[in-house]
Amino acid sequence: TLNTSVIRLNVFIFCNIKAEFDTYSIVTGIIVNLIIIYAILSTTDWISRKMSPTVSNSLRKIFGIILIAISIQMAADNMMKF
């Protein structure tokens, strides 16, 4: 099912990260990311009120392009491994 595949993916990612970094660095990185994400998500209403719809749409397109570029790079890197 979907839940087991997500758990397998998380375990796979954690094992790969564990091979490169120590546990303290991994936990510290996760906590810092959680704090940053919480700060951003808690201020989204304020940010959306300050932005015009044009700016919002432009940012949506820019971040979409960035995400596509990241996914293409990850796919290309993984294809080189095989």
Side-chain angles (χ1 to χ4, degrees), residues 9-21 26 78 81:
L9 178 63
N10 287 337
V11 169
F12 175 74
I13 290 171
F14 184 75
C15 289
N16 284 342
I17 292 173
K18 183 84 171 148
E20 295 180 25
F21 302 102
I26 295 170
N78 287 329
K81 291 180 182 178

Side-chain angles (χ1 to χ4, degrees), residues 15-77:
C15 289
N16 284 342
I17 292 173
K18 183 84 171 148
E20 295 180 25
F21 302 102
D22 61 337
T23 305
Y24 178 75
S25 298
I26 295 170
V27 171
T28 304
I30 291 171
I31 291 171
V32 169
N33 279 315
L34 286 174
I35 292 169
I36 292 170
I37 290 170
Y38 176 77
I40 291 171
L41 290 178
S42 65
T43 60
T44 54
D45 290 335
W46 179 81
I47 293 171
S48 66
R49 284 192 307 253
K50 299 293 181 185
M51 284 192 304
S52 68
T54 305
V55 172
S56 178
N57 288 334
S58 298
L59 286 175
R60 185 177 295 128
K61 289 178 183 180
I62 290 169
F63 285 120
I65 291 170
I66 291 170
L67 285 174
I68 290 171
I70 291 170
S71 65
I72 290 171
Q73 182 66 44
M74 288 176 67
D77 290 345

Side-chain angles (χ1 to χ4, degrees), residues 1-13:
T1 65
L2 180 62
N3 290 337
T4 56
S5 62
V6 169
I7 291 171
R8 286 179 189 162
L9 178 63
N10 287 337
V11 169
F12 175 74
I13 290 171

